[in-house]
């Protein structure tokens, strides 16, 4: 891979783990007929994002929090 000016680009692919394992959980409200619903979800990564040789032992994990709002017709 080369940059626009012809210099060779540095690849960072070897610094990251390609697979992530984690636990997801959440709660939601569902209307019985029609109306609004709200959903809260959390994902906690269980594996480090960076390889151990790169991050000097620091924990670097994915964490995602999401809120969804919907309407059921």
């Amino acid at each position: 891979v080369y940059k626009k000016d012809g210099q060779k680009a540095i690849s960072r692919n070897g610094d990251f783990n390609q697979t992530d394992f984690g636990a997801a959980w959440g709660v939601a409200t569902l209307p019985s007929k029609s109306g609004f619903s709200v959903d809260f979800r959390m994902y906690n990564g269980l594996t480090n994002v960076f390889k151990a040789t790169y991050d000097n032992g620091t924990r670097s994990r994915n964490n995602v929090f999401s809120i969804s709002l919907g309407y059921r017709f």
Side-chain angles (χ1 to χ4, degrees), residues 7-8 13-15 17 23-25 29 31 33 35 43 46-47 53 55 63 67 70-73:
Q7 294 179 350
K8 191 172 181 179
N13 292 339
D15 296 336
N17 289 319
W25 54 273
T29 62
K33 293 184 179 182
Y43 171 83
L46 300 176
T47 57
T53 57
D55 68 358
N63 290 307
I67 301 172
Y71 185 81
R72 184 177 182 178
F73 296 98

Side-chain angles (χ1 to χ4, degrees), residues 3-68:
K3 295 180 182 179
K4 290 181 181 179
D5 60 1
Q7 294 179 350
K8 191 172 181 179
I10 299 171
S11 174
R12 304 300 288 189
N13 292 339
D15 296 336
F16 300 98
N17 289 319
Q18 294 184 359
T19 306
D20 182 31
F21 296 99
W25 54 273
V27 294
T29 62
L30 298 173
S32 58
K33 293 184 179 182
S34 65
F36 286 99
S37 64
V38 180
D39 183 60
F40 300 95
R41 294 189 183 263
M42 183 71 186
Y43 171 83
N44 297 96
L46 300 176
T47 57
N48 285 336
V49 174
F50 298 114
K51 292 187 176 178
T53 57
Y54 180 75
D55 68 358
N56 297 323
T58 304
R59 287 183 168 179
S60 54
R61 298 179 179 172
N62 285 323
N63 290 307
V64 178
F65 178 74
S66 66
I67 301 172
S68 300

